[in-house]
Amino acid sequence: MSDLAIAVTVNGIDYQAHVAPRMTLVDFLRDILRQTGTHVGCEHGICGACSVMFDGAPIRSCLMFAVQADGHDVMTVEGLAGEAGALGDIQDAFWECHAMQCGYCTPGMMIAAHALLETNASPTTEEIREAVSGNLCRCTGYTQIVEAVELAAERRRGAAGDRQ
Ligand code: FES
Ligand code: FES
């Protein structure tokens, strides 16, 4: 089957491309758009390394075809960065809490954290554990990841307070 035309917004930039119907969204993001922050792990929806935001909700980009993203909005871990490529608040909290070792799970963890904090500004430790429970980490034991999400949430609440 011949390639299909798609138009997709990724991290606020509009892209148009021709892709094979069988190309997954994660392969499109990495191989075509060179947004390589999104990782490929299990390729069947288990590990969460490929998580991205899709129209504002977290999804597994290994389980979608790129053609299904036609007309939609995607945010990858690169989209969490701050001004001029500085670390965003979640990225900075992960760095400060040493919430990674090999880093393979980290993009997916950050997307899970972002999805949680978008809907819950004051998550409990249990709610954070639940939010990242679909993302597998082989290295950290999760404790520092949970601490990082707590720190990011705390800082966001502080920033919101500062603006009042
Ligand atoms: S690579 Fe998509 S869930 Fe593991
Ligand atoms: S830091 Fe290695 S898999 Fe999570």
Side-chain angles (χ1 to χ4, degrees), residues 50-70:
C50 66
S51 300
V52 298
M53 300 298 288
F54 187 88
D55 291 343
I59 58 114
R60 312 256 152 148
S61 59
C62 71
L63 294 183
M64 276 190 70
F65 292 116
V67 292
Q68 292 175 289
D70 183 35

mmCIF file of all heavy atoms in Angstrom, residues 50-70:
data_model
loop_
_atom_site.group_PDB
_atom_site.id
_atom_site.type_symbol
_atom_site.label_atom_id
_atom_site.label_comp_id
_atom_site.label_asym_id
_atom_site.label_seq_id
_atom_site.Cartn_x
_atom_site.Cartn_y
_atom_site.Cartn_z
ATOM 1 N N CYS A 50 7.100 4.688 25.693
ATOM 2 C CA CYS A 50 6.726 5.439 24.487
ATOM 3 C C CYS A 50 5.592 6.426 24.744
ATOM 4 O O CYS A 50 5.036 6.964 23.796
ATOM 5 C CB CYS A 50 6.303 4.458 23.400
ATOM 6 S SG CYS A 50 4.782 3.591 23.862
ATOM 7 N N SER A 51 5.270 6.674 26.011
ATOM 8 C CA SER A 51 4.113 7.521 26.334
ATOM 9 C C SER A 51 4.266 8.936 25.786
ATOM 10 O O SER A 51 5.329 9.552 25.899
ATOM 11 C CB SER A 51 3.929 7.603 27.846
ATOM 12 O OG SER A 51 3.707 6.325 28.391
ATOM 13 N N VAL A 52 3.189 9.436 25.213
ATOM 14 C CA VAL A 52 3.111 10.836 24.778
ATOM 15 C C VAL A 52 1.713 11.331 25.107
ATOM 16 O O VAL A 52 0.797 10.540 25.362
ATOM 17 C CB VAL A 52 3.371 11.004 23.258
ATOM 18 C CG1 VAL A 52 4.777 10.537 22.897
ATOM 19 C CG2 VAL A 52 2.326 10.281 22.431
ATOM 20 N N MET A 53 1.539 12.644 25.102
ATOM 21 C CA MET A 53 0.206 13.225 25.252
ATOM 22 C C MET A 53 -0.421 13.321 23.859
ATOM 23 O O MET A 53 0.224 13.780 22.906
ATOM 24 C CB MET A 53 0.284 14.615 25.881
ATOM 25 C CG MET A 53 0.915 14.648 27.269
ATOM 26 S SD MET A 53 0.028 13.699 28.533
ATOM 27 C CE MET A 53 -1.419 14.737 28.787
ATOM 28 N N PHE A 54 -1.657 12.884 23.744
ATOM 29 C CA PHE A 54 -2.382 12.894 22.474
ATOM 30 C C PHE A 54 -3.704 13.618 22.715
ATOM 31 O O PHE A 54 -4.554 13.125 23.459
ATOM 32 C CB PHE A 54 -2.615 11.447 22.023
ATOM 33 C CG PHE A 54 -3.210 11.313 20.650
ATOM 34 C CD1 PHE A 54 -2.376 11.274 19.540
ATOM 35 C CD2 PHE A 54 -4.576 11.221 20.463
ATOM 36 C CE1 PHE A 54 -2.909 11.138 18.268
ATOM 37 C CE2 PHE A 54 -5.122 11.092 19.201
ATOM 38 C CZ PHE A 54 -4.281 11.046 18.095
ATOM 39 N N ASP A 55 -3.826 14.802 22.127
ATOM 40 C CA ASP A 55 -4.998 15.646 22.394
ATOM 41 C C ASP A 55 -5.217 15.805 23.902
ATOM 42 O O ASP A 55 -6.356 15.775 24.393
ATOM 43 C CB ASP A 55 -6.257 15.076 21.727
ATOM 44 C CG ASP A 55 -6.201 15.185 20.202
ATOM 45 O OD1 ASP A 55 -5.367 15.968 19.682
ATOM 46 O OD2 ASP A 55 -6.972 14.480 19.537
ATOM 47 N N GLY A 56 -4.100 15.935 24.625
ATOM 48 C CA GLY A 56 -4.194 16.226 26.054
ATOM 49 C C GLY A 56 -4.315 15.028 26.971
ATOM 50 O O GLY A 56 -4.417 15.198 28.192
ATOM 51 N N ALA A 57 -4.289 13.833 26.426
ATOM 52 C CA ALA A 57 -4.386 12.634 27.265
ATOM 53 C C ALA A 57 -3.179 11.729 26.992
ATOM 54 O O ALA A 57 -2.703 11.653 25.860
ATOM 55 C CB ALA A 57 -5.677 11.887 26.973
ATOM 56 N N PRO A 58 -2.684 11.025 28.013
ATOM 57 C CA PRO A 58 -1.516 10.167 27.787
ATOM 58 C C PRO A 58 -1.897 8.894 27.031
ATOM 59 O O PRO A 58 -2.902 8.262 27.336
ATOM 60 C CB PRO A 58 -1.053 9.846 29.218
ATOM 61 C CG PRO A 58 -2.293 9.945 30.056
ATOM 62 C CD PRO A 58 -3.144 11.013 29.411
ATOM 63 N N ILE A 59 -1.069 8.557 26.048
ATOM 64 C CA ILE A 59 -1.294 7.311 25.289
ATOM 65 C C ILE A 59 0.055 6.635 25.057
ATOM 66 O O ILE A 59 1.109 7.223 25.267
ATOM 67 C CB ILE A 59 -1.990 7.561 23.931
ATOM 68 C CG1 ILE A 59 -1.158 8.545 23.061
ATOM 69 C CG2 ILE A 59 -3.384 8.103 24.107
ATOM 70 C CD1 ILE A 59 -0.601 7.911 21.835
ATOM 71 N N ARG A 60 -0.010 5.392 24.599
ATOM 72 C CA ARG A 60 1.192 4.626 24.240
ATOM 73 C C ARG A 60 1.378 4.768 22.731
ATOM 74 O O ARG A 60 0.559 4.261 21.959
ATOM 75 C CB ARG A 60 1.003 3.157 24.601
ATOM 76 C CG ARG A 60 0.461 2.982 26.015
ATOM 77 C CD ARG A 60 1.545 2.536 26.920
ATOM 78 N NE ARG A 60 1.253 2.989 28.261
ATOM 79 C CZ ARG A 60 1.588 2.333 29.357
ATOM 80 N NH1 ARG A 60 2.226 1.200 29.262
ATOM 81 N NH2 ARG A 60 1.340 2.823 30.531
ATOM 82 N N SER A 61 2.443 5.424 22.334
ATOM 83 C CA SER A 61 2.586 5.709 20.905
ATOM 84 C C SER A 61 3.048 4.498 20.101
ATOM 85 O O SER A 61 3.064 4.556 18.876
ATOM 86 C CB SER A 61 3.528 6.897 20.676
ATOM 87 O OG SER A 61 4.805 6.661 21.214
ATOM 88 N N CYS A 62 3.390 3.402 20.784
ATOM 89 C CA CYS A 62 3.703 2.168 20.045
ATOM 90 C C CYS A 62 2.438 1.436 19.634
ATOM 91 O O CYS A 62 2.493 0.516 18.823
ATOM 92 C CB CYS A 62 4.600 1.237 20.858
ATOM 93 S SG CYS A 62 3.760 0.453 22.267
ATOM 94 N N LEU A 63 1.305 1.827 20.217
ATOM 95 C CA LEU A 63 0.044 1.135 19.929
ATOM 96 C C LEU A 63 -0.806 1.876 18.914
ATOM 97 O O LEU A 63 -1.932 1.483 18.652
ATOM 98 C CB LEU A 63 -0.768 0.929 21.215
ATOM 99 C CG LEU A 63 -0.169 -0.007 22.256
ATOM 100 C CD1 LEU A 63 -1.129 -0.164 23.429
ATOM 101 C CD2 LEU A 63 0.153 -1.359 21.650
ATOM 102 N N MET A 64 -0.285 2.979 18.392
ATOM 103 C CA MET A 64 -1.027 3.754 17.399
ATOM 104 C C MET A 64 -0.241 3.808 16.106
ATOM 105 O O MET A 64 0.989 3.857 16.123
ATOM 106 C CB MET A 64 -1.208 5.206 17.883
ATOM 107 C CG MET A 64 -2.379 5.407 18.800
ATOM 108 S SD MET A 64 -2.632 7.176 19.044
ATOM 109 C CE MET A 64 -3.237 7.642 17.432
ATOM 110 N N PHE A 65 -0.947 3.866 15.016
ATOM 111 C CA PHE A 65 -0.294 4.130 13.747
ATOM 112 C C PHE A 65 -0.171 5.644 13.561
ATOM 113 O O PHE A 65 -1.023 6.407 14.029
ATOM 114 C CB PHE A 65 -1.094 3.525 12.593
ATOM 115 C CG PHE A 65 -1.108 2.027 12.595
ATOM 116 C CD1 PHE A 65 -2.281 1.320 12.774
ATOM 117 C CD2 PHE A 65 0.077 1.319 12.425
ATOM 118 C CE1 PHE A 65 -2.290 -0.058 12.782
ATOM 119 C CE2 PHE A 65 0.081 -0.071 12.431
ATOM 120 C CZ PHE A 65 -1.100 -0.764 12.608
ATOM 121 N N ALA A 66 0.868 6.034 12.856
ATOM 122 C CA ALA A 66 1.069 7.459 12.598
ATOM 123 C C ALA A 66 -0.142 8.056 11.869
ATOM 124 O O ALA A 66 -0.526 9.198 12.124
ATOM 125 C CB ALA A 66 2.348 7.666 11.781
ATOM 126 N N VAL A 67 -0.738 7.282 10.986
ATOM 127 C CA VAL A 67 -1.884 7.813 10.227
ATOM 128 C C VAL A 67 -3.067 8.145 11.145
ATOM 129 O O VAL A 67 -3.899 8.996 10.818
ATOM 130 C CB VAL A 67 -2.338 6.840 9.109
ATOM 131 C CG1 VAL A 67 -1.277 6.746 8.026
ATOM 132 C CG2 VAL A 67 -2.674 5.470 9.673
ATOM 133 N N GLN A 68 -3.119 7.487 12.296
ATOM 134 C CA GLN A 68 -4.206 7.780 13.235
ATOM 135 C C GLN A 68 -4.013 9.135 13.925
ATOM 136 O O GLN A 68 -4.933 9.643 14.564
ATOM 137 C CB GLN A 68 -4.306 6.678 14.295
ATOM 138 C CG GLN A 68 -4.764 5.342 13.738
ATOM 139 C CD GLN A 68 -4.735 4.257 14.801
ATOM 140 O OE1 GLN A 68 -3.685 3.808 15.230
ATOM 141 N NE2 GLN A 68 -5.912 3.857 15.242
ATOM 142 N N ALA A 69 -2.803 9.675 13.816
ATOM 143 C CA ALA A 69 -2.530 10.982 14.423
ATOM 144 C C ALA A 69 -2.880 12.120 13.475
ATOM 145 O O ALA A 69 -2.739 13.297 13.845
ATOM 146 C CB ALA A 69 -1.061 11.074 14.832
ATOM 147 N N ASP A 70 -3.317 11.794 12.284
ATOM 148 C CA ASP A 70 -3.661 12.841 11.308
ATOM 149 C C ASP A 70 -4.712 13.786 11.894
ATOM 150 O O ASP A 70 -5.782 13.344 12.343
ATOM 151 C CB ASP A 70 -4.198 12.187 10.026
ATOM 152 C CG ASP A 70 -4.514 13.213 8.955
ATOM 153 O OD1 ASP A 70 -3.788 14.224 8.867
ATOM 154 O OD2 ASP A 70 -5.493 12.995 8.210
#
